[in-house]
Amino acid sequence: MATYHLDARLAQEIVARTMKIIDSNVNVMDARGRIVGSGDRERIGEMHEGALLALSQARVVDIDDAVAKHLHGVRPGINLPLRIDGDIVGVIGLTGDPQALRHYGELVCMTAEMMLEQARLLHMLAQDSRLREELVLNLIRSETLSPALMDWAQRLGIDLQQPRVVAVVEVDSGQLGVDSAMSELQQLQTLLTTPERDNLIAIVSLTEMVVLKPALNTHGRYDQEDHRRRVEQLLSRMKESGHLRIRIALGNFFTGEGNIARSYRTAHTTMLVGKQRMPEQRSYFYQDLVLPVLLDSLRGGWQANELSRPLAKLKTLDNNGLLRRTLISWFSNNVQPSATAKALFIHRNTLEYRLNRISELTGLNLSNFDDRLLLYVALQLDEQP
């Protein structure tokens, strides 16, 4: 006897569809002979002795009026075993004259078995999808590939030696309920897997999805610009299709043990830093934010407090933020006075005055490389956009 579980919802679907084929009441019994689906809802839950006969003898059982009188809860009809891969998983019973029903019985049984097989395949696909998601979640959290993890991947047909880079996708689903948010994520998941792209995907939460993308191109090289183009193309497709707005952060590409976990951490932090610094943008790339991403691990620690102290002094006395903006422009223009003055639409003498004022307030000598570096790092750690 098979261990396949014939659930009530599927049994009732079989009843509804087969009763369209034949003008007769249909019962569906599970592997224990209990009625789990019927055109006569009052019979659901009853034991069906005709089904027990079909199960025990593994054959079609006809029940006429004479036989029905000796069986409990049985009406005249025909009972046919339902099989999947040769194993009996239940029984389908048609109520009426056995001789008249036999002509239709095999057709009804075949229809029911097709529905069972389809449901089993969908269940297997869903189970495989869940296992793949769990594998991805383990990969982004594991620094080492345990034998169990490698065996798990092998069973799923996933090559863990294939180089991959991690992208984090965030969905703006704050206005949606749980069901709607999950539906949007699943649609996005389908978009990222069809046509076949060999992406490994897991839904981390109602707002976050992680994608493990094949890293190398057809020439075996990591092409950063190609990945950038693909991210922008996905954003365009999402916008055109009217889906929820999303943000994507692409992490760094690593090789060696723990490469997926490290790539995920860079992608996750790139998303955090990118939203903080450029909230209007929808895509962020580690290569564009290397320093602030790497410095983010210091945030909240004593090192960050020490590094931020000079800038904190400046911000306290720089009421309108003019000096801070000047400092940012100065660094953005590679500390070149002419370029900075031009960018700020001010005279070079005005720029020099402001830089001297910054030195006074911070206690740092801007002509000294180490002092410049301290102030630059402090700006990178500053949470103000």
Side-chain angles (χ1 to χ4, degrees), residues 159-166 197-200 212-217 220-222 227 252-256 259-260 263:
D159 181 11
L160 293 183
Q161 300 306 313
Q162 181 181 12
R164 293 182 180 275
V165 63
V166 177
R197 291 185 174 86
D198 202 20
N199 289 329
L200 298 177
L212 277 54
K213 295 163 47 65
L216 307 183
N217 61 19
R221 295 194 301 269
Y222 179 67
H227 282 286
N252 197 21
F253 170 55
F254 296 94
T255 58
N259 59 308
I260 296 297
S263 185

Side-chain angles (χ1 to χ4, degrees), residues 89-104:
V89 298
V91 175
I92 187 165
L94 312 181
T95 304
D97 179 6
Q99 296 300 320
L101 292 172
R102 181 170 284 276
H103 179 68
Y104 302 100

Side-chain angles (χ1 to χ4, degrees), residues 290-331:
V290 174
L291 186 58
V293 168
L294 294 178
L295 290 173
D296 191 74
S297 62
L298 296 176
R299 199 176 301 280
W302 68 268
Q303 298 97 328
N305 291 336
E306 286 298 306
L307 289 167
S308 300
R309 186 179 297 174
L311 187 61
K313 292 179 182 178
L314 176 65
K315 291 170 70 176
T316 300
L317 299 170
D318 183 26
N319 296 328
N320 58 6
L322 178 65
L323 296 179
R324 181 180 178 278
R325 291 193 296 274
T326 300
L327 188 60
I328 291 173
S329 181
W330 187 57
F331 280 126

